[in-house]
Amino acid sequence: MEPLEQDFAENLLHIFDNVLLTEEMALSKGYFSDLSIAELHTLNAIGPYEARTMTETANILGITVGTLTVSVDRLVKKEYVERQRDTKDRRIVRISLTRQGKLAYRMHSKFHRVLVKRIMDPLSEEERKILARTIAEIDAFVEEQYKKYSNGEQYKKIVRDDTEV
Amino acid sequence: MAGSKKTDRDNKVSDEVAEVSFRKEYIFDTITGMLADLLEIKKEDLRSDTMIFEELPLDSLQLYEMVVDLEAKFKIRIPDEAIEKITTIGDVVDMIHEAGK
């Protein structure tokens, strides 16, 4: 590899590791120390507003309803998520975030916003456009590889590891 | 029809309730009440031009507690972009007042 490519590869991996580590550390030291990263991502998929069905949420996360049920059970017990029956069709169960869940969601998205702001602020308009386009391309490429190889297995593993603790 | 008359009246009543709840005095009263509870300060000390981030010891969790509670109370959405534009309590009142229109 060319030195430039070598640097790029190392930096990319470094960013990935550090973002995850920082999120984990911020979680463990903060107000939401009983939440894991995988659980936070479940809260993100449910979202702060309309109640979602289990199937919708499982699709967003790329996991099965069975796997999601395990995660949601824990989140209900920890009072981040609540279940309610659909008023029109009692067979449908919807899940939504509690006040505590919404707070965790918003604090987590704030972390992402701060990160983006810190990266984007020193750049010119032109540089921002180039960076945004490059990041989108990297994202599309990584996503493609992920789908090709794992078929969603990776996330399932994270959730499963998490629920085994 | 008697049934439809009742519905009309009900609608009118709920419209009036909505109008009152988005009145600026009511919104101001709600926000200052929340801030007083969160920060354990006197509600009377809060003014429309109180600078939220400079004058009040509000941390980011407390800020989001207020945001989440205001969203629930007024059934509105307050995105982070809107929060970034806020300086004073009056700004929050105006933002909620606009959202209720």
Side-chain angles (χ1 to χ4, degrees):
Chain A
M1 248 194 287
E2 298 280 322
L4 192 69
E5 290 178 355
Q6 185 74 39
D7 279 354
F8 180 78
E10 276 171 19
N11 287 339
L12 200 63
L13 287 177
H14 208 200
I15 290 169
F16 179 75
D17 284 347
N18 278 344
V19 166
L20 276 183
L21 277 175
T22 311
E23 287 195 329
E24 250 156 35
M25 257 158 46
L27 269 182
S28 67
K29 289 194 177 160
Y31 308 99
F32 306 104
S33 55
D34 57 342
L35 273 181
S36 70
I37 288 287
E39 285 173 335
L40 243 183
H41 290 165
T42 307
L43 298 185
N44 269 353
I46 299 168
Y49 299 115
E50 290 97 3
R52 288 191 198 281
T53 64
M54 290 292 281
T55 313
E56 276 169 357
T57 314
N59 285 343
I60 292 170
L61 290 166
I63 58 175
T64 65
V65 173
T67 310
L68 179 64
T69 302
V70 179
S71 179
V72 167
D73 281 345
R74 282 169 62 101
L75 287 166
V76 169
K77 206 176 282 175
K78 292 182 193 173
E79 297 180 350
Y80 285 98
V81 171
E82 54 197 0
R83 290 190 169 98
Q84 62 262 53
R85 296 218 169 259
D86 191 289
T87 44
K88 286 185 188 128
D89 185 345
R90 305 279 301 162
R91 288 168 301 177
I92 300 173
V93 175
R94 292 187 191 277
I95 47 175
S96 57
L97 303 188
T98 61
R99 181 176 184 270
Q100 177 79 347
K102 286 176 189 171
L103 282 176
Y105 170 93
R106 294 205 78 138
M107 289 296 276
H108 183 64
S109 64
K110 188 194 176 214
F111 171 78
H112 287 181
R113 287 177 65 79
V114 168
L115 192 69
V116 170
K117 209 170 143 46
R118 168 72 185 73
I119 294 168
M120 291 296 212
D121 271 0
L123 302 181
S124 72
E125 194 57 36
E126 191 57 29
E127 286 169 329
R128 282 180 201 187
K129 278 183 191 158
I130 295 169
L131 180 63
R133 200 177 57 221
T134 312
I135 292 283
E137 279 165 15
I138 296 171
D139 180 37
F141 175 73
V142 174
E143 173 100 14
E144 204 179 290
Q145 308 310 304
Y146 171 71
K147 278 185 183 156
K148 212 186 279 178
Y149 290 106
S150 64
N151 213 5
E153 286 301 321
Q154 194 61 34
Y155 186 84
K156 278 183 210 169
K157 193 183 169 298
I158 294 171
V159 172
R160 220 179 292 131
D161 286 353
D162 208 69
T163 48
E164 277 164 9
V165 177
Chain B
M1 239 166 48
S4 70
K5 247 184 205 166
K6 188 169 178 275
T7 316
D8 284 350
R9 198 179 58 214
D10 285 351
N11 283 346
K12 208 179 157 210
V13 169
S14 71
D15 281 353
E16 278 167 12
V17 171
E19 235 166 73
V20 170
S21 68
F22 282 104
R23 243 184 236 157
K24 289 195 176 183
E25 303 80 46
Y26 178 76
I27 301 170
F28 178 78
D29 194 58
T30 308
I31 295 169
T32 49
M34 281 180 185
L35 282 171
D37 284 348
L38 271 174
L39 303 173
E40 294 172 9
I41 51 175
K42 278 195 207 138
K43 193 174 165 181
E44 299 75 49
D45 292 344
L46 298 168
R47 311 168 317 270
S48 182
D49 64 351
T50 300
M51 315 266 270
I52 296 181
F53 304 108
E54 286 172 33
E55 289 181 53
L56 304 176
L58 192 74
D59 67 28
S60 54
L61 183 75
Q62 289 167 325
L63 169 71
Y64 282 124
E65 284 190 76
M66 186 176 79
V67 168
V68 167
D69 290 342
L70 287 171
E71 284 188 331
K73 172 101 185 167
F74 292 100
K75 298 192 169 51
I76 53 167
R77 294 181 181 195
I78 306 175
D80 281 330
E81 294 80 8
I83 300 171
E84 279 167 14
K85 291 182 190 140
I86 291 169
T87 312
T88 63
I89 292 179
D91 293 340
V92 187
V93 174
D94 290 342
M95 180 182 72
I96 295 170
H97 184 71
E98 283 301 311
K101 276 185 179 169

